[in-house]
Amino acid sequence: MIGLVADALNSRCTQLVAANDDVEAMAKLDGWTGDASIAATSRGNSLISTLEQTVAEVSAVRRAADEVQIAAERLTAFTFETDALARAHGLAVSDDGAVSPLPAMGPPPPPDVAAIRARVQVEVADRVGQILRRAGDVDADFAAVMTRALRGEITEQGVGTLAQAAQVGAAQSGLSIIGPPEGGTPDQAKAWWDSLSDTAKGAILRDNPDLVRNLDGIPVADRDAANRTVLAHEIARLRGDTSEQGRLELQGLLDIDKRLNHAEPGQPQAFLVGLDTSGQGKAIVASGNPDTAANVATYVPGTGSELGKIGGDIDRSDKMWHAADRSGSPSTAVVTWVGYDAPDDIAAAGSESYADNGKDALGGFQDGLRATHQGDALSHNTVLGHSYGTTVVGHAARDGGLNADELVFVASPGVGVDTADQLHLDGVNPGDIGHHVHSTVADHDMIKVTNLEVGDDSGASHDIALGPDPTAPQFGGQTFTSAPGTAGPWYTGGLSSDAHSQYWEDRSPSLRNFGLIIAGKPTS
């Protein structure tokens, strides 16, 4: 029906514009003078003004009808897609929008199938909510355009020609693009994005990239497209910034740009998933596409990490990608997540506040990876922290839970819990959590100082920093091998700061084990 309306309006608008020459000729007959000429000219000008107003109004409604047709087609397709998704996973959508499992036939499904069904049930419910929300928005927008046209509120004065009047009218209509649900989950953001037409998505990526470029639940390729636009602008802006922080951030952006656009042979395609140049800056860069990879890892660096130093962290992620590939991973993505304000130095790293301030962002990002992953099968997701990054990971898993299958603590000063069973991973049985928590520390790593225990006045002992060493047997997790690292002088007991950063050295046992964990295989 909307298509027929749009076609009729297109035809009528074309006829009106074509009448422009006839009306102007009537109003400007050469050589005709006198009262009749004046009356005819006045009448002609009045007709031209009326035509301009009519063309503006018809053009406004025509454009709105065109966009309603596009939106309706997308919503119809999205509805069929949602219904097919529900049925494929044994779910039904009732007339009132409720989503529930179909009556069970036979034995209960195995745990992995049940986990996927539960995730899909949430996704379908979010999709249904977005369909209703978007349909209501389209209806309200079209009604508003129609009301303005009927009331003569489409302004056309002074446009000059009917063709220009048509342009002016069209510019005053069109459907608004409502944003994602305020405060919504990544699943809800994904449902909103999926409900939009390709035209609407393109308009957002082109004209309003800030709306989606850092939003968990938006597909990685689309976040990348939006962030690349901003990256180019920020590089140009910072070239004129002579401050130390400006020069440092510019270097980080150039390192990102190099990885995105000048990959070395054998490196996977990179995606810019997040970018923030305020303060010390934040960025999220993926080596490989997390939305399509079978194995996905998120690397959270520690003290001193920031936008300006991201180049070294991206190098580590690339090495882990290659390690997983050598371990037999069919497809891999490793994300460099500099998505929190890290402590600047060792003194600041004694505070839990940085971890507490960053844990929700990490949790939301992990939820977003689940929401946007393509295909029926869940990806195998790992979150790996180094140094203070382990504290961020631990606090996120302790307080809100992480949407991941494996946790890896590398050179940890403590993760905020005394034992592995105080951590929570979505989809992992709490009684089995210890098999999914992996830790390592080099023999000569200076971080061991932070895991020393001291006694208090009551005679009890506690760790001097952020929690016990997760490699300790009583922690209850899995440990894996790292090289000893560079030894320090005798007066440090052989501990060194060099050993703290050597876990990613080529052919090291730790790097090999990173690849095995990411690929879902046993470590050594």
Side-chain angles (χ1 to χ4, degrees):
M1 178 61 73
I2 289 295
L4 294 176
V5 172
D7 291 342
L9 288 169
N10 283 332
S11 176
R12 181 54 57 88
C13 194
T14 300
Q15 292 173 1
L16 289 172
V17 172
N20 184 52
D21 293 338
D22 294 337
V23 176
E24 287 190 344
M26 183 183 71
K28 299 176 182 178
L29 291 176
D30 293 337
W32 188 16
T33 61
D35 292 342
S37 171
I38 294 173
T41 299
S42 176
R43 178 58 176 163
N45 288 335
S46 176
L47 284 173
I48 291 172
S49 178
T50 300
L51 277 173
E52 287 179 353
Q53 181 69 39
T54 302
V55 166
E57 292 167 353
V58 171
S59 296
V61 177
R62 176 182 65 174
R63 177 189 170 187
D66 284 337
E67 295 190 7
V68 168
Q69 180 181 7
I70 294 172
E73 289 173 351
R74 178 65 194 114
L75 282 173
T76 299
F78 190 49
T79 299
F80 282 123
E81 292 169 10
T82 300
D83 185 63
L85 176 65
R87 291 182 179 277
H89 291 275
L91 301 169
V93 181
S94 65
D95 291 341
D96 61 359
V99 182
S100 59
L102 291 168
M105 300 292 290
D112 57 337
V113 174
I116 293 174
R117 177 180 291 178
R119 178 180 66 86
V120 172
Q121 184 171 352
V122 172
E123 179 182 349
V124 170
D126 289 333
R127 282 171 166 241
V128 170
Q130 185 54 46
I131 289 169
L132 297 175
R133 179 170 175 258
R134 181 62 179 152
D137 172 67
V138 169
D139 182 70
D141 278 356
F142 192 38
V145 173
M146 290 289 292
T147 298
R148 292 182 62 228
L150 291 172
R151 291 177 177 174
E153 296 174 354
I154 305 297
T155 304
E156 49 71 39
Q157 281 81 3
V159 295
T161 68
L162 293 188
Q164 290 171 324
Q167 295 175 354
V168 170
Q172 297 178 61
S173 66
L175 305 184
S176 64
I177 300 176
I178 58 173
E182 186 175 352
T185 65
D187 283 320
Q188 291 170 333
K190 176 63 163 50
W192 163 74
W193 188 248
D194 286 345
S195 74
L196 300 179
S197 67
D198 290 342
T199 301
K201 291 176 183 176
I204 290 174
L205 295 177
R206 181 185 65 248
D207 302 328
N208 193 12
D210 287 344
L211 186 64
V212 296
R213 63 189 185 88
N214 294 327
L215 182 60
D216 296 323
I218 302 301
V220 164
D222 294 321
R223 288 177 68 167
D224 174 70
N227 273 305
R228 284 181 188 242
T229 299
V230 176
L231 175 67
H233 292 161
E234 288 298 283
I235 288 176
R237 179 183 67 83
L238 287 171
R239 288 192 188 278
D241 189 338
T242 59
S243 67
E244 180 179 356
Q245 184 62 34
R247 289 194 297 269
L248 185 62
E249 285 198 359
L250 176 60
Q251 183 57 58
L253 296 182
L254 292 174
D255 288 339
I256 292 173
D257 182 73
K258 179 181 178 181
R259 182 61 184 85
L260 292 176
N261 300 307
H262 305 285
E264 296 179 0
Q267 287 183 331
Q269 181 181 355
F271 298 84
L272 183 53
V273 190
L275 182 63
D276 178 3
T277 57
S278 63
Q280 293 183 326
K282 302 180 182 70
I284 305 171
V285 179
S287 298
N289 189 343
D291 287 349
T292 59
N295 294 299
V296 180
T298 301
Y299 162 52
V300 183
T303 300
S305 60
E306 57 181 284
L307 174 58
K309 302 175 184 177
I310 197 172
D313 291 317
I314 294 174
D315 289 342
R316 290 178 174 180
S317 291
D318 283 332
K319 288 188 173 187
M320 288 188 282
W321 185 93
H322 284 292
D325 185 59
R326 288 191 295 269
S327 296
S329 173
S331 57
T332 310
V334 181
V335 181
T336 304
W337 192 82
V338 183
Y340 77 110
D341 290 321
D344 291 333
D345 50 40
I346 296 299
S351 171
E352 294 184 327
S353 62
Y354 300 93
D356 288 334
N357 291 335
K359 63 186 180 183
D360 289 342
L362 178 60
F365 181 73
Q366 291 304 120
D367 288 342
L369 291 179
R370 287 290 193 219
T372 60
H373 194 266
Q374 300 172 16
D376 290 338
L378 294 175
S379 56
H380 174 257
N381 287 7
T382 299
V383 182
L384 183 150
H386 173 239
S387 189
Y388 194 89
T390 67
T391 310
V392 180
V393 174
H395 281 228
R398 179 194 69 187
D399 297 337
L402 280 175
N403 217 328
D405 303 285
E406 317 289 341
L407 298 183
V408 183
F409 299 134
V410 182
S412 178
V415 300
V417 298
D418 295 328
T419 56
D421 59 10
Q422 295 173 306
L423 302 170
H424 310 283
L425 295 177
D426 293 2
V428 173
N429 189 313
D432 196 39
I433 192 72
H435 293 97
H436 298 265
V437 176
H438 314 267
S439 304
T440 193
V441 64
D443 289 344
H444 296 142
D445 192 336
M446 186 66 76
I447 199 69
K448 287 186 171 183
V449 172
T450 66
N451 297 128
L452 296 176
E453 291 190 348
V454 297
D456 58 23
D457 293 340
S458 68
S461 63
H462 60 87
D463 294 277
I464 64 174
L466 303 168
D469 180 0
T471 66
Q474 60 269 28
F475 189 80
Q478 309 296 308
T479 60
F480 59 95
T481 305
S482 292
T486 300
W490 64 269
Y491 53 81
T492 66
L495 302 179
S496 74
S497 57
D498 288 340
H500 190 58
S501 302
Q502 293 174 336
Y503 296 91
W504 287 268
E505 289 190 346
D506 293 337
R507 294 178 293 280
S508 64
S510 52
L511 181 58
R512 179 174 59 84
N513 280 316
F514 296 159
L516 288 169
I517 295 170
I518 293 169
K521 298 185 177 182
T523 61
S524 60

